[in-house]
Amino acid sequence: MKTIFDIPDNFQVRFNETVAELLREQNKTLAIAESFTGGAITASLVEVDGISKHLVEGIVAYSEKAKINRLNVSEDILAKFGAVSIETVYEMSANLLSLAECDITVATTGYASGEKAGLCFIAVGECEGVHIFKYQFQGTRKQIIDQGVKAALFHLYKLLKKI
């Protein structure tokens, strides 16, 4: 399991701009499916001028019904593994690749509060495959969400840099 400490503390400060620049340089498009991050990843990228040429959409699919209806997540997957699982985040990301007709996807699902607070799965996908990362964040609800955003953007950066 990865920890947020794998990511430099000051990374998010420039991250949204760096990701936008890489998308622009590579002429790639991105779609985002967010559950526990509630639109925060999309919001951080929208702060960057010119991102509209590369950001196809950001979907907040918070409920299971939204995951089924908007992202074609299988009801069987949700019933068997739950909304917060590797299987669910995989389907969120993989299905969005075809639904949004984009080059890259990012998807998140997790618990920002409650008994399992901090458990998070992040998927970053492209036509070559979907990469999934599991985290156990610590802190307040806001801190957990912020760490999830930071981690998701970091993995997007790594995918774009091919590192």
Side-chain angles (χ1 to χ4, degrees):
M1 184 179 326
K2 302 229 178 230
T3 67
I4 198 65
F5 302 108
D6 297 329
I7 303 168
D9 288 338
N10 65 349
F11 190 69
Q12 192 172 356
V13 174
R14 297 179 310 259
F15 180 75
N16 55 352
E17 294 171 5
T18 302
V19 167
E21 182 179 323
L22 289 169
L23 288 167
R24 190 170 27 257
E25 287 173 3
Q26 296 177 26
N27 196 31
K28 300 275 187 183
T29 55
L30 170 68
I32 304 168
E34 299 183 68
S35 185
F36 101 104
T37 47
I41 298 167
T42 303
S44 71
L45 289 170
V46 170
E47 292 175 3
V48 181
D49 188 42
I51 195 66
S52 63
K53 293 178 180 142
H54 303 282
L55 180 60
V56 175
E57 67 181 317
I59 298 170
V60 178
Y62 207 70
S63 71
E64 287 188 13
K65 185 175 181 180
K67 288 174 179 66
I68 293 165
N69 293 338
R70 293 287 293 129
L71 301 169
N72 289 341
V73 173
S74 162
E75 290 184 48
D76 292 338
I77 291 290
L78 289 167
K80 186 172 182 180
F81 300 104
V84 179
S85 65
I86 291 169
E87 294 79 7
T88 296
V89 81
Y90 173 84
E91 285 211 348
M92 290 170 68
S93 182
N95 294 347
L96 190 57
L97 274 169
S98 61
L99 292 168
E101 298 179 6
C102 61
D103 300 307
I104 301 169
T105 60
V106 175
T108 66
T109 189
Y111 300 104
S113 60
E115 186 178 310
K116 297 180 183 179
L119 176 62
C120 171
F121 296 97
I122 297 168
V124 180
E126 60 181 340
C127 63
E128 288 84 20
V130 175
H131 311 278
I132 300 171
F133 306 91
K134 179 181 179 182
Y135 286 92
Q136 181 64 57
F137 299 124
Q138 303 292 317
T140 66
R141 180 178 178 83
K142 181 176 180 354
Q143 290 169 332
I144 288 169
I145 292 168
D146 288 347
Q147 290 171 73
V149 170
K150 185 177 182 180
L153 292 174
F154 180 69
H155 289 296
L156 177 57
Y157 166 81
K158 286 175 54 177
L159 178 93
L160 288 163
K161 291 292 280 184
K162 300 290 185 195
I163 56 174

